[in-house]
Amino acid sequence: MNAIERARAYLAGDVTLAVAGERDYTFTERGVNALCNLAESSPELLRGAAVADKIVGKAAALLMALGGVKQVYAEVMSRSAQQVFEKYNIPCDRGQVAETIKNRAGTGQCPMEQTVRHIDDPAAALKAIRRTQRVLRVRAQGGYEMKKLGFGMMRLPITGGDQKNIDYDTVKRMVDTFLERGFDYFDTAWMYHAYASEIAVRECLVKRYPRESFRLASKLPVFMLTSREDRQKIFDRQLEKCGVEYFDNYLLHNINSGDIDAVEKYDCFGFARSLKAQGKIKRYGFSFHDTPELLDKVLTEHPDAEFVQLQINYLDWKSEGVQSERLWQVARKHGKPIIVMEPVKGGTLADVPEKAAGLLKAARPDMSIPSWAIRFAAGLDGVETVLSGMSDMAQLEDNTSFMQNFEPLSEEELKVVRQAAAVIRGTGAIACTACRYCTENCPKNIAIPDYFSLYNLELIENGDSSKDWTTQQNYYENYTRTHGKASDCIKCGACERHCPQHLPIRDLLVKVAEKFE
């Protein structure tokens, strides 16, 4: 018998893969792991060999092409596998042709097929398959189920100062680490990163991992609707931008007193119910930035909402503006699971004044400053996920390190947090979270959140002291080359209508101008 005939003859009983060359080898593993091992550690066994496999999809075909096999037979072969063999001039024969290779439960596509569906390079396929195997191994061990940290895709690393220019290479590394450490929840929205966040999700997550390996949330921008037809148009476009067929969580975005009429006028809760009935979403809820009284009203009138997303952090816990504690109490009264946004308040609680940092470090020198904020929120009753808008690998590695084996704050640590909050409030810093909603309709193109950030850094570093020139002053001058100055504000109020923090932005820009101009 020639080599391919010998390989085919081995496919009996428990043998799933046979390699016939100078010597013959058989394997009994299911899936593509044996091929991965051969391609990585013993490529010489595949080079020029004839291979017979019971099931060959695109993933297996790319691994065989990587190994340089000479000829292939499969009892079942997918059409995409055939295309790979044709591309690399590898003669192949098969018993049956399948449109796709299903998972072992027969409920959907094989996860390895999903992993390589956008990949045509064999070397890239091997790396992608190994990534997916690591993630699925963690999930099989139950490592993700107790993880409360979610990846907020609204402050991703960018290049050139443009919110649309997302650094995909860095985001991919962040996504890989996040998943491999057992976390699986990603949160995006229609307008994040100047409408580019959902596309980044597709390129950095969805195209690279099987759908069942992660949970994804996006949001309906209620404040942008002009008709009922807009709801479906936006939702369909979101599915396309993200590259998915469904969302695990879908939210009505930023319900507040200014947009509650639109929620009712366009029957947004009814639309969410219809999406769930169609299997397009698994759960629906809403994000909220307003008073506890309005939250109570919305949850009373819409008891079908399955969760609520609230801004909760230790600085806003007793705040008269955000009222985090009272909002949390309303959600618990209605028995709604809570997803926390802005636990670090847009970075404010990651870079605190020196005195506040000293308090936190003295109590727990082993914990980072941001860890206090995230652990505070995650330890609250009813909180199922805490979103962190991580901007680089260092932030992601820090957050995942202390959230892998999460410890709520102790009573003593809560006392320290309250002391730190009092110190931070005493600096007079602007409570901006850099969500950038305020910049959307600014007629003077003023970089409002960037100016507020520089103002806060100036307070933390130099207080009220007067200096001729500071680092923040230099950055401010740089921004004004491409954006309006703080003093260019014409007091139209468009920014304040969209501010989730209810900040008096027009008055605060006057302070910024006095500081830097």
Side-chain angles (χ1 to χ4, degrees):
M1 289 191 291
N2 61 28
I4 193 63
E5 290 172 341
R6 293 202 313 274
R8 290 181 61 171
Y10 288 121
L11 289 186
D14 294 333
V15 174
T16 57
L17 172 69
V19 179
E22 293 183 8
R23 293 183 59 185
D24 296 351
Y25 301 87
T26 61
F27 303 86
T28 58
E29 291 181 75
R30 298 178 66 181
V32 297
N33 196 53
L35 279 170
C36 285
N37 293 337
L38 288 169
E40 279 182 328
S41 306
S42 305
E44 69 279 0
L45 301 184
L46 289 175
R47 196 172 301 116
V51 176
D53 200 337
K54 286 194 173 180
I55 300 175
V56 174
K58 184 179 181 182
L62 286 167
L63 293 171
M64 292 178 190
L66 179 63
V69 303
K70 183 179 181 180
Q71 193 172 0
V72 176
Y73 169 78
E75 292 182 356
V76 178
M77 183 179 294
S78 71
R79 294 194 186 280
S80 58
Q82 284 184 304
Q83 292 168 357
V84 170
F85 293 135
E86 289 171 4
K87 177 178 179 179
Y88 290 96
N89 299 312
I90 300 172
C92 65
D93 192 12
R94 76 285 180 280
Q96 300 177 32
V97 176
E99 290 300 322
T100 188
I101 304 301
K102 293 188 175 181
N103 58 29
R104 293 178 186 178
T107 56
Q109 191 180 38
C110 164
M112 299 307 160
E113 296 300 284
Q114 292 185 55
T115 298
V116 301
R117 64 195 184 281
H118 298 291
I119 297 175
D120 294 313
D121 175 69
L126 175 59
K127 291 180 181 179
I129 290 167
R130 285 307 199 198
R131 284 198 307 264
T132 293
Q133 286 179 329
R134 289 193 294 270
V135 170
L136 295 183
R137 194 177 302 121
V138 172
R139 292 178 65 83
Q141 295 167 353
Y144 72 99
E145 293 185 2
M146 299 302 292
K147 301 291 190 281
K148 283 191 170 186
L149 181 67
F151 195 155
M153 309 289 277
M154 71 177 296
R155 294 187 180 92
L156 300 173
I158 58 175
T159 58
D162 187 339
Q163 287 293 310
K164 287 187 176 182
N165 291 339
I166 297 170
D167 182 353
Y168 281 4
D169 289 340
T170 299
V171 175
K172 286 176 182 178
R173 291 196 299 272
M174 294 170 72
V175 166
D176 294 344
T177 302
F178 190 74
L179 288 169
E180 287 172 15
R181 292 188 177 184
F183 303 89
D184 73 339
Y185 190 84
F186 295 83
D187 174 271
T188 185
W190 175 252
M191 61 186 296
Y192 287 175
H193 274 277
Y195 305 92
S197 174
E198 289 171 322
I199 297 172
V201 167
R202 181 186 69 210
E203 297 302 316
C204 300
L205 171 68
V206 176
K207 280 188 174 182
R208 302 172 67 244
Y209 286 95
R211 183 63 181 89
E212 64 267 27
S213 67
F214 60 86
R215 292 177 294 152
L216 180 60
S218 195
K219 309 174 185 74
L220 179 71
V222 174
F223 42 86
M224 299 180 71
L225 299 178
T226 59
S227 68
R228 291 197 174 198
E229 290 71 29
D230 284 347
R231 305 171 308 176
Q232 191 67 51
K233 289 178 183 177
I234 290 174
F235 180 78
D236 290 343
R237 177 64 178 137
Q238 287 178 302
L239 291 179
E240 180 184 350
K241 286 172 70 179
C242 289
V244 296
E245 295 181 351
Y246 68 91
F247 291 111
D248 297 275
N249 280 357
Y250 195 64
L251 296 82
L252 308 185
H253 196 173
N254 190 14
I255 289 183
N256 56 54
S257 57
D259 296 314
I260 190 63
D261 289 343
V263 171
E264 304 302 336
K265 178 180 180 180
Y266 301 123
D267 189 21
C268 292
F269 278 99
F271 177 65
R273 285 193 296 272
S274 70
L275 292 176
K276 182 174 181 178
Q278 298 168 49
K280 297 291 186 180
I281 62 175
K282 291 188 176 181
R283 293 201 310 170
Y284 60 91
F286 59 94
S287 61
F288 185 86
H289 289 283
D290 213 295
T291 65
E293 291 75 19
L294 180 60
L295 178 62
D296 187 49
K297 181 176 184 291
V298 173
L299 289 175
T300 299
E301 294 177 356
H302 300 282
D304 53 306
E306 296 170 275
F307 63 93
V308 61
Q309 187 161 304
L310 302 173
Q311 177 172 317
I312 296 177
N313 57 69
Y314 68 75
L315 191 61
D316 289 326
W317 191 244
K318 297 292 185 181
S319 160
E320 293 181 3
V322 179
Q323 303 183 75
S324 288
E325 182 181 24
R326 291 190 59 208
L327 292 171
W328 169 77
Q329 290 170 343
V330 171
R332 296 315 298 139
K333 182 184 84 170
H334 288 270
K336 300 301 180 185
I338 299 168
I339 297 174
V340 172
M341 55 185 164
E342 302 295 355
V344 193
K345 201 167 175 64
T348 299
L349 301 182
D351 189 8
V352 300
E354 186 176 344
K355 183 178 178 181
L359 290 168
L360 301 176
K361 279 298 183 183
R364 286 293 298 270
D366 59 318
M367 299 296 275
S368 67
I369 300 301
S371 72
W372 289 81
I374 293 175
R375 289 172 60 219
F376 171 84
L380 295 168
D381 178 53
V383 169
E384 65 174 33
T385 303
V386 177
L387 300 174
S388 179
M390 297 170 279
S391 302
D392 55 44
M393 277 298 300
Q395 292 176 11
L396 185 135
E397 287 174 351
D398 177 50
N399 288 351
T400 54
S401 69
F402 61 78
M403 288 301 288
Q404 277 187 298
N405 298 295
F406 166 63
E407 295 179 24
L409 296 180
S410 66
E411 287 301 319
E412 286 301 313
E413 288 174 323
L414 286 169
K415 291 179 183 178
V416 175
V417 158
R418 286 192 285 271
Q419 293 171 347
V423 170
I424 298 167
R425 282 192 291 271
T427 65
I430 298 172
C432 172
T433 65
C435 67
R436 313 197 79 84
Y437 297 166
C438 58
T439 63
E440 186 73 16
N441 297 302
C442 177
K444 305 302 287 186
N445 190 31
I446 299 172
I448 298 168
D450 304 294
Y451 293 169
F452 287 172
S453 175
L454 294 176
Y455 182 88
N456 288 346
L457 286 172
E458 184 72 11
L459 289 180
I460 291 171
E461 293 182 14
N462 301 307
D464 292 325
S465 63
S466 177
K467 292 189 176 184
D468 290 339
W469 199 264
T470 66
T471 300
Q472 283 69 246
Q473 179 77 46
N474 189 60
Y475 278 111
Y476 181 80
E477 295 292 331
N478 289 340
Y479 273 116
T480 59
R481 291 187 176 94
T482 54
H483 296 79
K485 295 180 179 180
S487 59
D488 290 337
C489 175
I490 60 173
K491 313 293 185 185
C492 68
C495 53
E496 294 181 9
R497 287 193 290 274
H498 295 286
C499 179
Q501 311 305 315
H502 312 294
L503 296 175
I505 295 175
R506 290 171 286 186
D507 294 337
L508 292 172
L509 285 173
V510 173
K511 288 188 175 184
V512 172
E514 290 172 351
K515 177 69 72 174
F516 294 123
E517 297 179 35

